[in-house]
Amino acid sequence: VVGIDRVDHGVNLGDEFIHQNILDTNRIEGEYDALVHLAALVQVGGGQKAMMDYYHTNVVGTMNMLERVDYKNFIFASTCQAFESNVYGTTKRLAEQIIRQYAELNDIDYTIFRFGNVLGGTNLTNTDGLMYNLMKARETGEFNLYGNDYDTLDGTAVRDYIHVLEICKAIKFAIERPSNLLLENLGSGQGYTVQQIINTFKKVN
């Protein structure tokens, strides 16, 4: 297992680590059974402020990974936001289309996952994410809940949440058995309101 990241986190990301940005255009040496592409800019709000950075990283960066590595199986982390019209969702949707066309033209196995809202974990980086803000609230004692007039049981938005370890299991499965299908949606299959998640987090913590 070889880990690639633009930031050296000082932790073990595999048997080997390559400190490199996906926007770099030089080839990555070696032959790999699978490439798991998780790198992206992911904040919905950030995309509205830095549109071109999101297109460069999420679209051009994905194209670089498609071309720069010798692999048999390409696994891509997309998002349930891909059907939205915001910048983040649009860049992920474009990346999906490019991957699908590239893989089919070059006879490469692939799996495109659209992740639900991810919960769990500790090394969180998405400052827009519910889990990140709940974890911060443990330190600050404050949490801002936006939107309380939805047509739901408590007025807060309903989302389909999935635990990060379930995502890891799905990726492992895709390494062994790529789907080569249009999309794989990853969620619990049941929606919960933001307030329900907050209440559960408070109870557990």
PDB file of all heavy atoms in Angstrom, residues 10-25:
ATOM      1  N   GLY A  10       2.656  12.915   9.082  1.00  0.00           N
ATOM      2  CA  GLY A  10       3.505  12.291  10.090  1.00  0.00           C
ATOM      3  C   GLY A  10       2.940  10.989  10.616  1.00  0.00           C
ATOM      4  O   GLY A  10       3.370  10.498  11.655  1.00  0.00           O
ATOM      5  N   VAL A  11       1.966  10.421   9.907  1.00  0.00           N
ATOM      6  CA  VAL A  11       1.402   9.131  10.306  1.00  0.00           C
ATOM      7  C   VAL A  11       1.586   8.142   9.160  1.00  0.00           C
ATOM      8  O   VAL A  11       1.839   8.525   8.028  1.00  0.00           O
ATOM      9  CB  VAL A  11      -0.101   9.255  10.662  1.00  0.00           C
ATOM     10  CG1 VAL A  11      -0.284  10.154  11.873  1.00  0.00           C
ATOM     11  CG2 VAL A  11      -0.913   9.772   9.484  1.00  0.00           C
ATOM     12  N   ASN A  12       1.433   6.873   9.468  1.00  0.00           N
ATOM     13  CA  ASN A  12       1.630   5.824   8.483  1.00  0.00           C
ATOM     14  C   ASN A  12       0.438   5.757   7.536  1.00  0.00           C
ATOM     15  O   ASN A  12      -0.646   5.349   7.927  1.00  0.00           O
ATOM     16  CB  ASN A  12       1.824   4.484   9.195  1.00  0.00           C
ATOM     17  CG  ASN A  12       2.127   3.368   8.218  1.00  0.00           C
ATOM     18  OD1 ASN A  12       2.325   3.611   7.027  1.00  0.00           O
ATOM     19  ND2 ASN A  12       2.173   2.157   8.721  1.00  0.00           N
ATOM     20  N   LEU A  13       0.632   6.179   6.291  1.00  0.00           N
ATOM     21  CA  LEU A  13      -0.430   6.122   5.281  1.00  0.00           C
ATOM     22  C   LEU A  13      -0.243   4.936   4.344  1.00  0.00           C
ATOM     23  O   LEU A  13      -0.848   4.895   3.286  1.00  0.00           O
ATOM     24  CB  LEU A  13      -0.466   7.428   4.470  1.00  0.00           C
ATOM     25  CG  LEU A  13      -0.865   8.688   5.247  1.00  0.00           C
ATOM     26  CD1 LEU A  13      -0.812   9.909   4.341  1.00  0.00           C
ATOM     27  CD2 LEU A  13      -2.256   8.536   5.829  1.00  0.00           C
ATOM     28  N   GLY A  14       0.590   3.997   4.732  1.00  0.00           N
ATOM     29  CA  GLY A  14       0.820   2.821   3.903  1.00  0.00           C
ATOM     30  C   GLY A  14       2.207   2.270   4.147  1.00  0.00           C
ATOM     31  O   GLY A  14       2.939   2.733   5.024  1.00  0.00           O
ATOM     32  N   ASP A  15       2.579   1.271   3.365  1.00  0.00           N
ATOM     33  CA  ASP A  15       3.923   0.720   3.468  1.00  0.00           C
ATOM     34  C   ASP A  15       4.958   1.715   2.946  1.00  0.00           C
ATOM     35  O   ASP A  15       6.126   1.673   3.330  1.00  0.00           O
ATOM     36  CB  ASP A  15       4.010  -0.582   2.663  1.00  0.00           C
ATOM     37  CG  ASP A  15       2.975  -1.596   3.137  1.00  0.00           C
ATOM     38  OD1 ASP A  15       2.902  -1.835   4.345  1.00  0.00           O
ATOM     39  OD2 ASP A  15       2.222  -2.120   2.289  1.00  0.00           O
ATOM     40  N   GLU A  16       4.500   2.606   2.068  1.00  0.00           N
ATOM     41  CA  GLU A  16       5.326   3.651   1.481  1.00  0.00           C
ATOM     42  C   GLU A  16       4.521   4.933   1.475  1.00  0.00           C
ATOM     43  O   GLU A  16       3.288   4.892   1.480  1.00  0.00           O
ATOM     44  CB  GLU A  16       5.640   3.310   0.016  1.00  0.00           C
ATOM     45  CG  GLU A  16       7.046   2.916  -0.278  1.00  0.00           C
ATOM     46  CD  GLU A  16       7.194   2.591  -1.765  1.00  0.00           C
ATOM     47  OE1 GLU A  16       7.349   3.538  -2.549  1.00  0.00           O
ATOM     48  OE2 GLU A  16       7.124   1.405  -2.094  1.00  0.00           O
ATOM     49  N   PHE A  17       5.204   6.085   1.423  1.00  0.00           N
ATOM     50  CA  PHE A  17       4.497   7.360   1.361  1.00  0.00           C
ATOM     51  C   PHE A  17       5.152   8.259   0.323  1.00  0.00           C
ATOM     52  O   PHE A  17       6.369   8.418   0.313  1.00  0.00           O
ATOM     53  CB  PHE A  17       4.475   8.052   2.713  1.00  0.00           C
ATOM     54  CG  PHE A  17       3.837   9.421   2.671  1.00  0.00           C
ATOM     55  CD1 PHE A  17       2.497   9.567   2.365  1.00  0.00           C
ATOM     56  CD2 PHE A  17       4.588  10.559   2.908  1.00  0.00           C
ATOM     57  CE1 PHE A  17       1.907  10.823   2.307  1.00  0.00           C
ATOM     58  CE2 PHE A  17       4.018  11.815   2.863  1.00  0.00           C
ATOM     59  CZ  PHE A  17       2.673  11.942   2.566  1.00  0.00           C
ATOM     60  N   ILE A  18       4.324   8.838  -0.559  1.00  0.00           N
ATOM     61  CA  ILE A  18       4.789   9.798  -1.551  1.00  0.00           C
ATOM     62  C   ILE A  18       4.202  11.154  -1.189  1.00  0.00           C
ATOM     63  O   ILE A  18       2.980  11.330  -1.163  1.00  0.00           O
ATOM     64  CB  ILE A  18       4.354   9.395  -2.971  1.00  0.00           C
ATOM     65  CG1 ILE A  18       4.939   8.031  -3.344  1.00  0.00           C
ATOM     66  CG2 ILE A  18       4.778  10.445  -3.990  1.00  0.00           C
ATOM     67  CD1 ILE A  18       4.397   7.459  -4.643  1.00  0.00           C
ATOM     68  N   HIS A  19       5.080  12.117  -0.892  1.00  0.00           N
ATOM     69  CA  HIS A  19       4.647  13.465  -0.539  1.00  0.00           C
ATOM     70  C   HIS A  19       4.504  14.266  -1.837  1.00  0.00           C
ATOM     71  O   HIS A  19       5.477  14.757  -2.386  1.00  0.00           O
ATOM     72  CB  HIS A  19       5.691  14.099   0.392  1.00  0.00           C
ATOM     73  CG  HIS A  19       5.283  15.432   0.919  1.00  0.00           C
ATOM     74  ND1 HIS A  19       6.174  16.319   1.463  1.00  0.00           N
ATOM     75  CD2 HIS A  19       4.058  16.033   1.008  1.00  0.00           C
ATOM     76  CE1 HIS A  19       5.540  17.406   1.848  1.00  0.00           C
ATOM     77  NE2 HIS A  19       4.269  17.255   1.578  1.00  0.00           N
ATOM     78  N   GLN A  20       3.246  14.371  -2.313  1.00  0.00           N
ATOM     79  CA  GLN A  20       3.036  14.969  -3.630  1.00  0.00           C
ATOM     80  C   GLN A  20       1.595  15.466  -3.770  1.00  0.00           C
ATOM     81  O   GLN A  20       0.670  14.900  -3.190  1.00  0.00           O
ATOM     82  CB  GLN A  20       3.324  13.915  -4.707  1.00  0.00           C
ATOM     83  CG  GLN A  20       3.550  14.499  -6.082  1.00  0.00           C
ATOM     84  CD  GLN A  20       4.063  13.420  -7.035  1.00  0.00           C
ATOM     85  OE1 GLN A  20       3.358  12.959  -7.911  1.00  0.00           O
ATOM     86  NE2 GLN A  20       5.302  13.009  -6.830  1.00  0.00           N
ATOM     87  N   ASN A  21       1.429  16.519  -4.526  1.00  0.00           N
ATOM     88  CA  ASN A  21       0.112  17.089  -4.811  1.00  0.00           C
ATOM     89  C   ASN A  21      -0.453  16.428  -6.064  1.00  0.00           C
ATOM     90  O   ASN A  21       0.293  16.183  -7.020  1.00  0.00           O
ATOM     91  CB  ASN A  21       0.247  18.601  -5.037  1.00  0.00           C
ATOM     92  CG  ASN A  21      -1.084  19.333  -5.005  1.00  0.00           C
ATOM     93  OD1 ASN A  21      -2.080  18.873  -5.565  1.00  0.00           O
ATOM     94  ND2 ASN A  21      -1.095  20.488  -4.364  1.00  0.00           N
ATOM     95  N   ILE A  22      -1.761  16.165  -6.075  1.00  0.00           N
ATOM     96  CA  ILE A  22      -2.348  15.542  -7.267  1.00  0.00           C
ATOM     97  C   ILE A  22      -2.334  16.487  -8.467  1.00  0.00           C
ATOM     98  O   ILE A  22      -2.568  16.055  -9.592  1.00  0.00           O
ATOM     99  CB  ILE A  22      -3.788  15.048  -7.019  1.00  0.00           C
ATOM    100  CG1 ILE A  22      -4.729  16.188  -6.637  1.00  0.00           C
ATOM    101  CG2 ILE A  22      -3.806  13.950  -5.972  1.00  0.00           C
ATOM    102  CD1 ILE A  22      -6.194  15.794  -6.607  1.00  0.00           C
ATOM    103  N   LEU A  23      -2.020  17.769  -8.240  1.00  0.00           N
ATOM    104  CA  LEU A  23      -1.911  18.712  -9.360  1.00  0.00           C
ATOM    105  C   LEU A  23      -0.545  18.647 -10.029  1.00  0.00           C
ATOM    106  O   LEU A  23      -0.361  19.208 -11.111  1.00  0.00           O
ATOM    107  CB  LEU A  23      -2.211  20.140  -8.885  1.00  0.00           C
ATOM    108  CG  LEU A  23      -3.655  20.381  -8.461  1.00  0.00           C
ATOM    109  CD1 LEU A  23      -3.834  21.792  -7.930  1.00  0.00           C
ATOM    110  CD2 LEU A  23      -4.621  20.127  -9.614  1.00  0.00           C
ATOM    111  N   ASP A  24       0.419  17.964  -9.402  1.00  0.00           N
ATOM    112  CA  ASP A  24       1.707  17.735 -10.063  1.00  0.00           C
ATOM    113  C   ASP A  24       1.486  16.804 -11.253  1.00  0.00           C
ATOM    114  O   ASP A  24       0.677  15.885 -11.188  1.00  0.00           O
ATOM    115  CB  ASP A  24       2.713  17.096  -9.096  1.00  0.00           C
ATOM    116  CG  ASP A  24       3.054  18.027  -7.945  1.00  0.00           C
ATOM    117  OD1 ASP A  24       2.830  19.235  -8.090  1.00  0.00           O
ATOM    118  OD2 ASP A  24       3.526  17.529  -6.906  1.00  0.00           O
ATOM    119  N   THR A  25       2.232  17.033 -12.320  1.00  0.00           N
ATOM    120  CA  THR A  25       1.978  16.278 -13.552  1.00  0.00           C
ATOM    121  C   THR A  25       2.985  15.158 -13.813  1.00  0.00           C
ATOM    122  O   THR A  25       2.838  14.440 -14.791  1.00  0.00           O
ATOM    123  CB  THR A  25       1.974  17.238 -14.768  1.00  0.00           C
ATOM    124  OG1 THR A  25       3.200  17.974 -14.795  1.00  0.00           O
ATOM    125  CG2 THR A  25       0.805  18.208 -14.679  1.00  0.00           C
TER     126      THR A  25
END
